[in-house]
Amino acid sequence: MNGQYASLLIALPLISAFFVPLIKGLGRKAIMGYLVLITAIQAAIAGWVASEVYSTGKPIIVMAGGWRPPVGINLYIGQFAALFVFIIAVVSFFMAFFSFKAVTIEPVDKYAMLFLLLMLGATGMIATGDIFNLFVFMEITSITAYALTAYNKTGEAAEASMKYIVLGGIGSSFFLIGVALIYGATGTLNMAHLAQLAGTIDPTVAQVGLALIIFGLAVEAELFPLNAWAPDAYQAAPHPVTVMFSAFVVKAGLYAIARLLYILQNANGWSGVLKLVIAMATLTVVVAEFSALRQRDVKRMVAYSSISQVGMIAFALALGTQAGVDAGVFHMVNHAIVKALLFLTVGYVGVALGGTTIENFQGLGKRMPLTAITLTIGSLAAVGIPLFNIFWSKVRILLAGVEAGYPWSVALILGASVVEAVYYLRLIHTMWFVEGGERVRENFAIGVIAIFLAALIIAIGVYPNDIWTIAQKAGQDVFNVANYIKNVPLMGVGA
Amino acid sequence: MNVPHISIYYFGAISLVLIGLYGVLVKKNLMKILISLSIMETGVNLLLISIGYVSGKSAPILSEGIGPTQAVDPIPQALVLTAIVIGVATTAMALSAAIIIYEKYGTLNVEEIRRLRG
């Protein structure tokens, strides 16, 4: 089949979001069913694209309007994008099921529309090959994220959303200034063309432009000085939306940082920017782990834990070596699975028992055994115990960090990981060894999803090599810029 | 003194961004913060436009007497058109959140809007 059909990954959620108001009159069930249907189709398309990309080994280049880059906008669906577009679609599909149970506040039609647009924005951020188009998709993602954060209509939700809007607004302004500087220096917005011209940029402009772009993206990617919105937004947003934030919205930001870093690797002064990201990432891990330690709200605790894992991914992606990028991508996949499971189960407890404070988790092992078991598996995996998937990616990140010559950062990250074990074991202890209320009947569909994710965690933990091979291919897609330029059919225009 | 050649447009645009940033960081009233955010966005848009300016050329509309060589760079104009719309959407979103905050908290002072902490 023609590779240009991959543009359906963008077109389908967009068109379906426009059709939501038309089926509004059919009631809540119909809208939720529609959401499940569309995300299922999206997952099927993403699966087809991924199998196509991995079987041929060649990226799919979608050229908008038939204009060849750098004149037209192109989508670059390489191994990385294919893998993550698939993860985005599958997580959205699961969350569409979870929304049946978790989203009870009207108006549900607006929720469905924003849900689809969030999926669209993240997909576009990962697939695009043009920096301004990246900005547009980033704004689609963040504006829908602002709205979804405030969806619960409580004071807390509005407050969290407002923090996110102000930080996101500053971030996007910085990003745009960075884009303006880089466009002014090179005269192009296409990433492949930019990579060709990177060596000719004035070092000051390249450094300032890249640093501004990274600062802008760091708001989305939750790196240290700019991540104050994240725990609030995670706590206040509807539970399925929290899963989507941590499973793929953050990943899209991280990927965009990594992509732009490596695109401009020939620019003078590049390594200074890498050091900046390394420092931000290390601080993110340390600060988030210690903040998680003193949380009483379990959802907020898992949110801080998610931020610290994100810091670890950013650390790996900014090492500047092939091993680091591969490990970072591997951790991105593992973290998406584990955090989807954790937020799903925590959110489900919040829905079933009304609230996610630690008191509600007392005796959960007897009250909701299935949820408690999967939550335990997720917590153990997040700590990084052997035979669970995150163990492998954490080890690889730390080894790559030592090899690349950052032993101090590795020591700090490793020290902070010990803290992670403390609060997750405290949660597990509360669930299994503290007496609590009565038995609650558990939902079948959510149980199936949770068991599937838990099984995936253990499967990858026992047989890591298959996913590791895929992650290595995806990592090469990000790291090997020469190959990236070669794959994009550039028209010979400009300097 | 030999002043380096800084175009007044760049200077003005960056000043607007800095004024906006100052307002966001210093002001306590939520409305003032949102106004500062808008000022910052305006500054960014002006910067984008001025990067595409070619001295002495006219608007990039293909019409009588004006060919492709006599026009300024059209790409930043397309970028700004998009960025303006995005800025307005963000502001609208922020204002509706501000309305909810005022309803629930009864204040727009950012120091009193602190129910989420930890």
Side-chain angles (χ1 to χ4, degrees):
Chain A
M1 240 158 89
N2 189 343
Q4 299 291 316
Y5 283 110
S7 58
L8 280 174
L9 289 171
I10 309 286
L12 177 78
L14 191 60
I15 293 178
S16 351
F18 277 113
F19 275 104
V20 170
L22 289 182
I23 60 161
K24 189 174 152 189
L26 299 177
R28 185 172 174 275
K29 278 255 159 61
I31 292 173
M32 287 300 188
Y34 178 75
L35 204 56
V36 171
L37 177 71
I38 298 297
T39 46
I41 298 173
Q42 174 87 354
I45 299 172
W48 166 72
V49 168
S51 71
E52 194 87 338
V53 168
Y54 275 92
S55 63
T56 60
K58 284 265 163 216
I60 297 176
I61 313 284
V62 179
M63 286 176 271
W67 293 93
R68 280 175 60 186
V71 172
I73 291 170
N74 67 307
L75 300 184
Y76 180 95
I77 305 176
Q79 272 99 338
F80 184 93
L83 177 62
F84 270 83
V85 163
F86 183 62
I87 291 177
I88 289 173
V90 171
V91 171
S92 307
F93 175 59
F94 288 159
M95 286 315 111
F97 270 111
F98 187 32
S99 302
F100 264 111
K101 197 93 182 110
V103 177
T104 44
I105 303 166
E106 296 297 319
V108 82
D109 58 314
K110 297 199 176 69
Y111 172 81
M113 204 157 31
L114 291 166
F115 183 104
L116 288 170
L117 287 175
L118 188 67
M119 183 168 87
L120 159 85
T123 309
M125 268 177 92
I126 282 178
T128 189
D130 180 283
I131 48 174
F132 191 74
N133 198 231
L134 174 66
F135 170 76
V136 174
F137 278 124
M138 184 179 101
E139 287 299 302
I140 294 177
T141 315
S142 38
I143 293 174
T144 46
Y146 306 152
L148 281 171
T149 305
Y151 182 76
N152 278 346
K153 287 185 184 165
T154 57
E156 283 87 350
E159 181 190 339
S161 177
M162 184 54 91
K163 283 182 189 166
Y164 190 4
I165 291 173
V166 172
L167 268 173
I170 298 173
S172 68
S173 293
F174 277 5
F175 185 87
L176 208 49
I177 298 173
V179 169
L181 288 178
I182 290 199
Y183 175 74
T186 60
T188 185
L189 293 167
N190 186 279
M191 288 185 194
H193 198 200
L194 210 55
Q196 278 183 338
L197 298 177
T200 64
I201 310 177
D202 180 81
T204 320
V205 176
Q207 247 176 340
V208 173
L210 196 54
L212 281 169
I213 284 184
I214 297 230
F215 248 73
L217 282 167
V219 175
E220 281 302 290
E222 300 170 3
L223 295 185
F224 166 58
L226 304 161
N227 61 5
W229 63 270
D232 296 346
Y234 281 44
Q235 189 186 350
H239 302 300
V241 175
T242 313
V243 177
M244 292 169 80
F245 280 177
S246 90
F248 60 73
V249 174
V250 188
K251 303 294 184 314
L254 281 172
Y255 161 72
I257 288 184
R259 173 62 91 200
L260 289 173
L261 268 179
Y262 290 109
I263 285 295
L264 290 172
Q265 62 179 322
N266 289 328
N268 292 313
W270 177 69
S271 54
V273 181
L274 276 193
K275 290 208 177 67
L276 170 82
V277 182
I278 294 266
M280 282 164 81
T282 312
L283 279 172
T284 310
V285 176
V286 174
V287 172
E289 291 290 21
F290 281 96
S291 313
L293 192 58
R294 56 190 183 85
Q295 296 307 323
R296 301 295 302 161
D297 189 304
V298 175
K299 204 176 171 195
R300 203 172 166 88
M301 186 190 93
V302 180
Y304 273 115
S305 150
S306 178
I307 293 169
S308 82
Q309 306 274 344
V310 163
M312 215 177 285
I313 297 170
F315 172 74
L317 290 176
L319 285 173
T321 59
Q322 179 72 62
V325 176
D326 292 352
V329 173
F330 190 29
H331 199 57
M332 276 164 105
V333 177
N334 287 336
H335 174 252
I337 300 168
V338 170
K339 279 290 147 30
L341 175 62
L342 281 175
F343 278 117
L344 174 75
T345 43
V346 169
Y348 184 52
V349 172
V351 171
L353 306 178
T356 52
T357 50
I358 190 94
E359 287 77 26
N360 280 339
F361 285 78
Q362 286 170 358
L364 198 73
K366 292 212 176 61
R367 301 178 74 187
M368 299 168 77
L370 189 62
T371 313
I373 290 168
T374 45
L375 183 52
T376 309
I377 292 174
S379 312
L380 292 175
V383 175
I385 288 178
L387 287 185
F388 292 101
N389 58 358
I390 282 193
F391 169 72
W392 301 104
S393 47
K394 253 189 193 170
V395 167
R396 290 216 155 87
I397 288 179
L398 297 175
L399 287 179
V402 173
E403 263 172 47
Y406 293 101
W408 274 109
S409 307
V410 170
L412 281 171
I413 290 175
L414 206 54
S417 297
V418 177
V419 177
E420 186 159 41
V422 175
Y423 58 77
Y424 273 119
L425 290 178
R426 192 174 63 196
L427 172 66
I428 292 171
H429 179 265
T430 316
M431 283 194 304
W432 293 100
F433 300 109
V434 178
E435 290 304 311
E438 285 150 29
R439 183 75 195 263
V440 178
R441 243 187 106 244
E442 289 164 286
N443 184 290
F444 176 71
I446 294 168
V448 170
I449 295 171
I451 288 175
F452 173 75
L453 290 170
L456 207 56
I457 288 172
I458 293 174
I460 297 177
V462 179
Y463 303 104
N465 283 338
D466 295 333
I467 304 286
W468 173 237
T469 323
I470 292 175
Q472 271 178 317
K473 281 184 187 157
Q476 265 151 27
D477 184 46
V478 177
F479 187 73
N480 191 343
V481 175
N483 207 25
Y484 179 85
I485 301 172
K486 208 180 77 207
N487 281 328
V488 179
L490 280 179
M491 222 176 189
V493 294
Chain B
M1 204 177 78
N2 191 8
V3 182
H5 177 77
I6 302 174
S7 160
I8 182 83
Y9 306 113
Y10 291 151
F11 188 76
I14 295 292
S15 312
L16 274 181
V17 173
L18 292 178
I19 291 168
L21 196 58
Y22 170 82
V24 172
L25 297 177
V26 170
K27 293 295 168 196
K28 300 274 179 273
N29 187 316
L30 204 51
M31 280 302 137
K32 287 185 182 165
I33 289 179
L34 295 185
I35 291 170
S36 308
L37 215 53
S38 289
I39 293 176
M40 206 169 153
E41 271 154 12
T42 312
V44 174
N45 292 340
L46 277 173
L47 179 72
L48 260 176
I49 277 290
S50 44
I51 276 178
Y53 181 65
V54 187
S55 178
K57 301 284 172 72
S58 69
I61 302 167
L62 215 55
S63 64
E64 248 178 87
I66 298 170
T69 49
Q70 288 115 16
V72 299
D73 190 352
I75 290 177
Q77 308 199 357
L79 305 191
V80 164
L81 198 60
T82 317
I84 289 173
V85 176
I86 290 173
V88 172
T90 316
T91 310
M93 185 62 228
L95 286 173
S96 51
I99 292 172
I100 299 180
I101 286 180
Y102 191 71
E103 275 172 5
K104 306 279 177 186
Y105 290 74
T107 175
L108 283 175
N109 185 336
V110 286
E111 284 177 343
E112 287 167 35
I113 307 171
R114 289 186 65 88
R115 228 177 270 172
L116 288 164
R117 54 168 77 222

